[in-house]
Amino acid sequence: MPSDPVQALAQEPVDHRFKGLPPDAGQAGLTVGELTAERRSLYTGGFTTPVLTLDADALSHNLAALGTYAERHGLAFAPHGKTCMAPQLFHRQLEHGAWGITAAVPHQARVYRAFGIQRIFLANELVDAAALRWVAAELAADPGFRFVCYVDSVRGVQLMDRALAGRSQRVDVVVELGAGEGARTGARSDEDCRAVADAVAGTDTLRLVGIAGYEAEVPGADPDSVHAYLRRLTGLAAEFDKAGRFEGVEEIVVSAGGSAWFDAVADVFAEIPELSRPVLKLLRSGAYVSHDHGWYTRLTPFNRVPEEGGLRPAFRLWTQVVSRPSPTQAFVNAGKRDIAYDLGLPEVELVRDPLTGAERPATGIRVLKLSDQHAWLETDSAEDVEVGDWVALGMSHPCTIFEKWPLIPVVEADGTVAEYVRTFF
């Protein structure tokens, strides 16, 4: 058994837990590593539909694109791991220069630690006493482990302090500045942020190391309002530094940046004045790793700054026509259990003839609605699809695509499956 937990994933058996994988591989008792070594064809290698795939070239392109962007703009990068919850991809992100991985909840942080992640930024106030004790134990056991989380209320600070009482290792925190009334989490005013910082200073269990926020929650977000919010955030960091609130820290953490406004983060973080300590300018975009066919295709900042690069949709869900009851109606064998639909219905991309392997654009075919295990297709003509055809769907929102598939084939341009990505939701 490999000592590296990521490598150990190759020892898992290919069995009933994993949708779409070849049944004969399970019958033969193959491990994931053994199936990988066979380099089967997605189309002729026994895979069953529906099956979600990742495009190997698009995945590599996207991983490089954000790593390059962050480096070019002097940003550290902690991509949000809740998007994919895939340790293999976390380590590829680290290889492309990521500082660490962002989490939203304690379970995610536990997965990260199980797979050797040494720096975790938890973008939430953490008031669960059991989880805080786990964090403290991890910090005490591993001097190389770095953990930072939000605080956004005096009450939260009090609960954290109570849970951590008697622990020798302080937990690093950043005050979260809320993006405005009606936004999500975060202290709503600068004065509220000062009160939270004062509360942290009054504990022996927490250490204030910076300021953070999430600019996509600015109500009616546009370039002007997002830039204004980010300047409030960096202004607070400078104010807190001048007031001596970061005394004793090695670096000041200033963090923001989802997948829709990282260009604005780069603009404003470049304006941060010289502070008393080095500044860790931490970007947290996560959806870039796979991108998508709708929501983030429209929202990505690369639309505003195309000269900086771009992202490519990596997901493709292959389904099969199982019913063609009328010339304008067809049904494929994937529905809400398999398809992300919270940010829009999927787009029909391609039709593949299972007998000849010929592919054609899915002209005149649309998804009307989803049942649990079927997608309802509307077709312009009787010749658009027939029973047995493979139909490729593109979807929006990587977070809810990844979560439905525990083992995802990574497919090369010629259809060869080169890798399998394991997820832990």
Side-chain angles (χ1 to χ4, degrees):
M1 178 73 70
S3 58
D4 183 334
V6 175
Q7 292 182 8
L9 293 173
Q11 303 302 318
E12 284 197 279
V14 179
D15 58 23
H16 59 276
R17 295 171 296 165
F18 304 128
K19 300 187 286 185
L21 298 195
D24 69 285
Q27 291 163 349
L30 297 184
T31 64
V32 173
E34 290 166 341
L35 181 59
T36 302
E38 292 187 356
R39 291 182 57 82
R40 296 195 186 191
S41 167
L42 178 71
Y43 311 116
T44 62
F47 292 84
T48 64
T49 57
V51 58
L52 181 70
T53 66
L54 281 163
D55 181 288
D57 291 338
L59 193 60
S60 294
H61 171 87
N62 294 344
L63 286 163
L66 255 290
T68 299
Y69 183 90
E71 182 179 15
R72 183 185 302 131
H73 289 277
L75 300 171
F77 190 28
H80 211 317
K82 55 96 176 175
T83 297
C84 65
M85 288 304 294
Q88 292 146 288
L89 297 184
F90 297 161
H91 283 274
R92 289 184 67 177
Q93 290 171 317
L94 294 172
E95 289 167 2
H96 281 87
W99 170 89
I101 306 294
T102 295
V105 293
H107 160 71
Q108 293 166 1
R110 290 183 63 202
V111 172
Y112 300 178
R113 289 298 287 160
F115 287 92
I117 302 303
Q118 285 293 92
R119 292 172 176 163
I120 297 174
F121 185 100
L122 197 146
N124 249 330
E125 185 168 69
L126 182 57
V127 294
D128 184 301
L132 284 162
R133 290 193 293 269
W134 172 81
V135 169
E138 290 290 302
L139 290 168
D142 183 357
F145 175 42
R146 179 84 192 276
F147 179 87
V148 181
C149 71
Y150 282 175
V151 286
D152 79 350
S153 65
V154 172
R155 167 72 171 169
V157 170
Q158 293 168 344
L159 289 171
M160 294 178 76
D161 185 45
R162 180 181 301 174
L164 294 167
R167 304 281 173 165
S168 59
Q169 183 70 48
R170 288 191 172 200
V171 171
D172 287 348
V173 297
V174 291
V175 173
E176 183 194 6
L177 171 65
E181 291 302 323
R184 201 162 63 188
T185 57
R188 287 299 191 251
S189 69
D190 293 6
E191 191 54 43
D192 289 340
C193 289
R194 296 182 191 107
V196 174
D198 287 341
V200 171
T203 73
D204 295 322
T205 58
L206 304 177
R207 183 175 74 150
L208 184 66
V209 299
I211 302 287
Y214 181 46
E215 71 292 335
E217 283 292 310
V218 171
D222 60 27
D224 288 343
S225 61
V226 169
H227 279 76
Y229 164 73
L230 291 167
R231 290 191 176 104
R232 275 187 65 205
L233 189 151
T234 58
L236 267 176
E239 175 198 312
F240 280 18
D241 182 50
K242 186 175 181 180
R245 292 186 182 274
F246 301 129
E247 185 177 355
V249 307
E250 299 78 28
E251 61 185 3
I252 297 168
V253 179
V254 182
S255 180
S259 294
W261 293 100
F262 56 73
D263 57 332
V265 174
D267 289 345
V268 175
F269 281 16
E271 301 169 354
I272 296 175
E274 184 174 350
L275 302 183
S276 65
R277 291 158 179 79
V279 178
L280 183 72
K281 303 174 183 179
L282 197 61
L283 183 68
R284 305 192 308 271
S285 311
Y288 81 97
V289 66
S290 62
H291 203 43
D292 70 7
H293 284 89
W295 186 258
Y296 285 106
T297 294
R298 293 188 292 272
L299 290 183
T300 177
F302 286 125
N303 293 337
R304 294 186 289 272
V305 287
E307 68 278 6
E308 292 263 27
L311 300 171
R312 292 163 50 188
F315 277 125
R316 180 166 285 164
L317 178 65
W318 282 105
T319 67
Q320 195 164 25
V321 178
V322 293
S323 180
R324 188 74 159 107
S326 78
T328 60
Q329 194 175 36
F331 292 86
V332 294
N333 61 346
K336 294 177 181 178
R337 302 294 178 88
D338 314 294
I339 295 170
Y341 57 92
D342 57 313
L343 291 178
L345 291 171
E347 302 172 5
V348 187
E349 290 190 276
L350 294 171
V351 177
R352 182 182 179 88
D353 187 313
L355 301 178
T356 67
E359 292 183 359
R360 60 187 185 275
T363 306
I365 309 173
R366 296 161 295 279
V367 177
L368 289 184
K369 63 179 181 177
L370 301 175
S371 299
D372 281 352
Q373 304 289 180
H374 295 93
W376 298 53
L377 305 187
E378 179 184 57
T379 61
D380 286 347
S381 75
E383 291 74 37
D384 288 336
V385 294
E386 58 183 322
V387 170
D389 282 346
W390 281 34
V391 176
L393 303 180
M395 297 172 286
S396 284
H397 199 188
C399 300
T400 53
I401 300 172
F402 273 108
E403 72 179 11
K404 296 178 183 296
W405 293 84
L407 193 63
I408 306 170
V410 179
V411 182
E412 295 178 344
D414 65 356
T416 299
V417 178
E419 183 185 0
Y420 296 84
V421 168
R422 184 73 159 92
T423 65
F424 292 85
F425 284 93

